Amino acid sequence: MRKSKKADINAILIKIEDYLHKYLSEKWLKILFFPVFISYIIFITIPTPLWVQFLSFLVIFFLTLIFIKNRKESIKVFIILTGVFVSLRYFYWRTFNTLNLDDGIFNAIASIILYLAELYSMIILILGSFMSLRLLERNHINLEKKEDFLTVDVFIPTYNEPVEIVKTTALAAISMDYPQDKFNVYILDDGGTTQKLNDPDPAKREENRQRSQALKDFVNEVGGNLHYITRERNLHAKAGNINEALKKTNGDLILILDCDHVPAKDFLKRTVGFFNKYPKLFLVQTPHSFYNPDPLEKNLGIFRIVPSEADMFYKHIQKGLDFWSATFFCGSAAVLRRKYLQEVGGIQGTTITEDAETALELHSLGYDSAYYGRPMVYGLQPETFSAFVVQRTRWAQGMIQIFLLKNPLFKKGLKWYQRLGYLNANIFWFFGFARFVFLIAPILYPMFGAQIYSANIQEAASYAIPHFIMSIVLSYYLYAKVRWNFFSEIYEAIQSIFILPAIISVILSPRKPTFKVTPKGENLEEEFLSPFYKPVYLLFNLIVISFFFSFYRWVNYPDERGTVLVVLFWQIFDLFILGIGISVLRERPQRRRAFRIPAKDDVIVYTKSQVFSGKVRDISLTGIWVETDQDITDYLSEVRDYLIEFVIMDARGLPFVLKGRVVNANSKNIRAQFEANTLEDYRKLTEVVYADSSRWEIFREEREMNPIQTTIFLTKIFIENFTKAYKMATAEFINEIKGLTQKFMLKLNKKLLRRELNETV
């Protein structure tokens, strides 16, 4: 009887799930969204006693915990709606009960600024949740007939990057598994323009000429379907470079690769098929994957331990955008249809994020885009924090330019959900304002007595704390596998201090920003403190000082202890974030000329008299690490310091011999440095190292941590890194103060000396 009832209940649940799935289909979800959302808002505005508000939070919180591991779409929608419900209840109360507008102009302005920062965060929460309702997963479309193989022009734009980086990408591109008569590869050298070759600075002119000639010589040596294109003047940066190449080529499709984005052999075979199936398709975007750490990962020692910052965008957000037909062009690792691109005059150049701007124009004409989530390019991230800031400043200014000059809310031709997708992408980059406000706000009350948030401890416990907790829980539910809790806060808070001036600049003058190339391929020989350390260091110490003011208020103003308690927790959180930020600004050495890529290939090792089998553990263009199946202790004498051979299967399953000189070996491991003496050796090595995209599946392993585990993990990172970084920053700051003092005293002494001379005369 019990089994029968249980079976009946399961059958009912399955029917409910099927019913919800039916009405959560793409068509119905888009049609029903607005009426459901309006009804939902009505419940948010109903006033309740504080105990009812807190009790409703507890019910929602524990229901969410029950279903937190369930990824079914109906459960996902339930958790999103309930999580956002708690936050919207908070914000409704925040809007009508906490603003202090009648207690002096300073309090009113500070209160409004904090409110606007929270309003921004609320909009981002809602838009991000909306874009996460369903993630579209696509499978590649096979090329079966000869006519399916459309002609492709591969563009590799370059400006001033090291020649070796460009060569690697070009060699991988010409080795792609696609009919040779169906594609051509073009190096678009904007560092070799007539303008650059006649630079008025003799040193720069000579450097440009040598680099340009090296690329021409390389293209001539390779020959075949590799070509070199340049132009007269460097107009409109990357967009102008690509548009010039469009005039000189004629392929059906254009594959654009940043010069450090090395493609897998199967890139074209996995993307071209979409254009055959969807006639109105203008874009297939694929993920950007990276084989080196960004500055935060490098300096904190968390590379390949924590999900990469790019994972959230390329493994989650783009898939959500794809469901809403709003996936946009990201500048590289993307295939575009030439005839549609030419309809809008090529790559757009009104803003400095020409990629997203181009996609916006083509979406507004009714054309479609697709996102294929398989990683098929490997690229370089900025190696230093200063280069990282240059890149993110450009992205921030460009996206805000689009918001100001081509606002998607008013762009004709877009569907309502596409407007929201682009709006989310554009206004996200205002985070510099919001994060900076959240860093400054807890200083204002204890140090200046600013009353910017009118609420007692009971109200905070019923509204503010539930909102904070549910935001963390919702973030964990949606993004746990691609972004751990609090890492966005760290990335954004550190960037905000430097991006905020750029945001203000572009708001005041939307057409002023110019395209700046992100430095790549930097070699960091020694540990040093980033020149960007000072604002983070000063703000950290300012919050430390305000911390003591909070204790003063706790002792001397007992009636304010509820507010003081909230501010203390806020200050501790900000100190934690900025403390990690100071650790990030201690630049660690990075001496590798080529980054190692994890691998699992079978390998045969030939020494003078022995043959060993094994597995490749990692490989790069300069070296290899092999773990042997046999114990080689007895043969170390003929392995160490000798030139030996490694036989690995290439992407076509054919054996390829690599010669390497052993630099380290023990009982089960051999590490060797390759000796690639000819261009053909280097080309084959490139093919073996980057190979088919299936090799890169190892990087798709997703690791998950809940908020408590992440807090513990970050605390360990803080303890391991902060003290040394803070000491370095303090020593550097004291030296700068000493230097400024000496300059001041020198000027003062000169003035006094002049005065004495004048008096003597």
Side-chain angles (χ1 to χ4, degrees), residues 392-677:
R392 300 314 163 93
T393 299
R394 185 181 81 239
W395 291 356
Q397 288 189 316
M399 282 300 196
I400 293 171
Q401 278 184 302
I402 292 175
F403 179 75
L404 297 174
L405 301 175
K406 297 188 174 184
N407 194 303
L409 290 178
F410 309 107
K411 185 75 174 175
K412 290 182 180 179
L414 293 178
K415 299 179 175 65
W416 67 267
Y417 40 85
Q418 290 177 317
R419 296 180 193 278
L420 293 182
Y422 275 101
L423 179 67
N424 183 47
N426 293 160
I427 68 171
F428 164 79
W429 289 97
F430 284 99
F431 73 76
F433 158 74
R435 293 294 181 192
F436 187 74
V437 170
F438 294 148
L439 291 173
I440 292 295
I443 297 172
L444 299 179
Y445 164 71
M447 294 186 71
F448 305 105
Q451 301 291 331
I452 60 176
Y453 194 107
S454 299
N456 58 41
I457 193 67
Q458 292 83 6
E459 290 171 326
S462 300
Y463 286 97
I465 294 174
H467 158 62
F468 179 72
I469 291 173
M470 285 307 296
S471 296
I472 292 172
V473 171
L474 185 58
S475 176
Y476 167 70
Y477 179 77
L478 293 177
Y479 311 122
K481 293 183 178 180
V482 295
R483 174 66 59 85
W484 293 351
N485 288 103
F486 310 122
F487 275 89
S488 286
E489 285 80 358
I490 293 169
Y491 272 87
E492 292 172 15
I494 299 169
Q495 291 178 69
S496 68
I497 300 169
F498 307 100
I499 287 180
L500 182 59
I503 293 173
I504 295 171
S505 172
V506 74
I507 290 172
L508 295 176
S509 184
R511 296 184 185 275
K512 186 178 179 181
T514 56
F515 190 97
K516 293 181 180 178
V517 176
T518 304
K520 299 281 182 73
E522 295 173 288
N523 195 27
L524 310 178
E525 294 291 341
E526 303 293 337
E527 181 176 275
F528 66 95
L529 191 68
S530 170
F532 284 68
Y533 85 95
K534 200 180 300 178
V536 181
Y537 175 77
L538 291 174
L539 189 53
F540 178 88
N541 285 295
L542 189 60
I543 295 176
V544 169
I545 294 169
S546 73
F547 202 74
F548 292 102
F549 278 85
S550 295
F551 279 112
Y552 172 82
R553 285 189 171 273
W554 177 274
V555 173
N556 293 280
Y557 299 91
D559 56 326
E560 295 183 9
R561 284 181 177 173
T563 304
V564 171
L565 190 63
V566 173
V567 170
L568 279 170
F569 278 111
W570 194 344
Q571 288 172 327
I572 290 169
F573 183 78
D574 281 355
L575 285 173
F576 186 69
I577 296 297
L578 289 171
I580 292 176
I582 292 172
S583 302
V584 167
L585 294 167
R586 177 169 68 102
E587 296 281 10
R588 303 286 187 89
Q590 183 171 281
R591 301 185 180 94
R592 285 192 185 276
R593 290 187 295 115
F595 290 92
R596 297 288 178 93
I597 298 171
K600 297 179 180 179
D601 303 74
D602 292 322
V603 61
I604 304 296
V605 181
Y606 290 89
T607 69
K608 280 186 174 181
S609 63
Q610 300 294 324
V611 179
F612 306 108
S613 61
K615 289 279 187 183
V616 178
R617 289 308 175 202
D618 66 38
I619 190 169
S620 73
L621 293 174
T622 58
I624 189 171
W625 168 23
V626 170
E627 183 178 332
T628 59
D629 296 327
Q630 302 85 14
D631 188 316
I632 62 171
T633 304
D634 295 336
Y635 309 101
L636 290 177
S637 59
E638 65 176 88
V639 171
R640 287 176 178 159
D641 300 321
Y642 282 95
L643 192 64
I644 61 176
E645 293 183 344
F646 303 89
V647 179
I648 304 176
M649 298 298 176
D650 66 14
R652 293 168 294 180
L654 301 175
F656 174 59
V657 179
L658 297 166
K659 293 182 179 180
R661 188 167 297 280
V662 177
V663 293
N664 191 10
N666 58 34
S667 60
K668 295 281 286 185
N669 297 277
I670 299 173
R671 289 177 172 85
Q673 185 173 327
F674 290 137
E675 294 197 354
N677 299 316

Side-chain angles (χ1 to χ4, degrees), residues 16-33:
I16 292 172
E17 173 66 24
D18 290 342
Y19 178 81
L20 289 170
H21 187 273
K22 175 182 177 183
Y23 286 98
L24 281 171
S25 65
E26 180 175 345
K27 177 182 176 183
W28 284 104
L29 192 57
K30 293 172 181 176
I31 292 173
L32 294 175
F33 176 77

Side-chain angles (χ1 to χ4, degrees), residues 328-381:
F328 57 85
F329 177 32
C330 298
S332 179
V335 186
L336 297 103
R337 199 188 299 262
R338 177 187 292 270
K339 69 176 182 179
Y340 295 153
L341 190 58
Q342 289 177 328
E343 282 188 34
V344 294
I347 302 295
Q348 302 298 287
T350 305
T351 72
I352 57 173
T353 45
E354 73 295 327
D355 40 18
E357 182 189 350
T358 301
L360 176 67
E361 292 296 335
L362 286 160
H363 273 133
S364 71
L365 294 179
Y367 295 122
D368 301 322
S369 61
Y371 179 71
Y372 180 53
R374 186 181 182 92
M376 294 187 293
V377 299
Y378 248 129
L380 279 170
Q381 301 191 87

Side-chain angles (χ1 to χ4, degrees), residues 283-288 314 318 327-335 370-373:
L283 167 74
V284 173
Q285 179 65 56
T286 70
H288 294 185
Y314 287 110
Q318 278 282 43
T327 283
F328 57 85
F329 177 32
C330 298
S332 179
V335 186
Y371 179 71
Y372 180 53

Side-chain angles (χ1 to χ4, degrees), residues 298-314:
K298 170 175 68 71
N299 296 333
L300 295 178
I302 58 175
F303 184 47
R304 292 180 184 154
I305 298 172
V306 174
S308 167
E309 191 200 17
D311 284 355
M312 183 173 174
F313 182 72
Y314 287 110

